[in-house]
Amino acid sequence: MERLGIQFFAHDEPMELLPGLWFSGPVPRRFPERNWSGSGQMVLDGNTVEDIIPEDSSIAIDTAEGTVLISGCGHAGVVNTMAYVRDRVVRARPVVTLVGGFHLFALKDAQLDWTGRQMRAFGVKRLLGAHCTGFEAVYHLRRQLQLPRADALVAAIGSSVSLKGGITPDASALTR
């Protein structure tokens, strides 16, 4: 890709891309979430170690209602990411909307219960869980957060979210 003239930039710290639109940079692991496969390996300082995906990052949007967090896979953990975005990236505000992948599909109920309690404390009002979040994890969190079906769905191609209109699922999500 670089031969085609594409430039890559690595950011070790949060960066405001546009007013109110933030790139988190790598997310520290303050809480003991292990939302990655556990089977990947990488070479670090000449040693082969587990690839914990330290470069995991997200996008945060500072809105009038609170923070909207957009995640690719959330390998750092959704709670770690919410805490980092609130405390270090944007500002101390509720994280009102979560969109994207959060790598929760393999978690046991007790881990999902803990995650849900944290989401509630952060003020989550909407959850659009994509690919690696998992169907059952979204449904579990929906029940735990006591969110209506319209505010906690499994994402599909064509799904969208707006702070005024809520989540607009594609047709397949309406039947679940």
Side-chain angles (χ1 to χ4, degrees):
M1 294 178 86
E2 288 173 332
R3 283 186 293 210
L4 295 173
I6 296 171
Q7 291 182 302
F8 293 91
F9 299 93
H11 297 282
D12 292 334
E13 297 289 327
M15 179 179 179
E16 191 171 24
L17 303 172
L18 295 168
L21 178 68
W22 289 85
F23 172 73
S24 71
V27 176
R29 276 63 188 275
R30 186 163 111 193
F31 300 100
E33 295 176 277
R34 287 189 56 89
N35 297 356
W36 61 90
S37 68
S39 61
Q41 302 286 303
M42 67 182 207
V43 177
L44 183 63
D45 298 326
N47 298 312
T48 301
V49 296
E50 179 184 8
D51 185 357
I52 63 166
I53 313 171
E55 65 278 3
D56 184 64
S57 55
S58 293
I59 297 290
I61 305 169
D62 189 12
T63 74
E65 184 182 344
T67 301
V68 174
L69 179 64
I70 302 170
S71 174
C73 261
H75 291 286
V78 64
V79 177
N80 283 320
T81 306
M82 288 188 301
Y84 186 60
V85 163
R86 181 196 63 199
D87 298 344
R88 173 81 166 80
V89 178
V90 180
R91 55 190 168 135
R93 313 217 26 239
V95 178
V96 294
T97 302
L98 299 171
V99 178
F102 297 101
H103 224 273
L104 302 173
F105 69 92
L107 296 188
K108 305 234 183 294
D109 286 352
Q111 294 166 301
L112 283 171
D113 289 343
W114 178 83
T115 301
R117 285 192 301 275
Q118 302 305 312
M119 286 179 174
R120 179 175 286 137
F122 276 91
V124 172
K125 296 179 182 177
R126 286 174 292 279
L127 170 64
L128 186 57
H131 60 103
C132 62
T133 305
F135 289 93
E136 290 300 324
V138 170
Y139 301 150
H140 184 107
L141 291 168
R142 176 198 298 165
R143 286 187 302 273
Q144 187 180 0
L145 294 168
Q146 298 176 343
L147 295 174
R149 188 165 110 183
D151 290 332
L153 293 169
V154 174
I157 294 172
S159 299
S160 65
V161 63
S162 85
L163 296 178
K164 290 184 180 174
I167 296 171
T168 304
D170 83 325
S172 66
L174 291 174
T175 61
R176 295 188 176 98

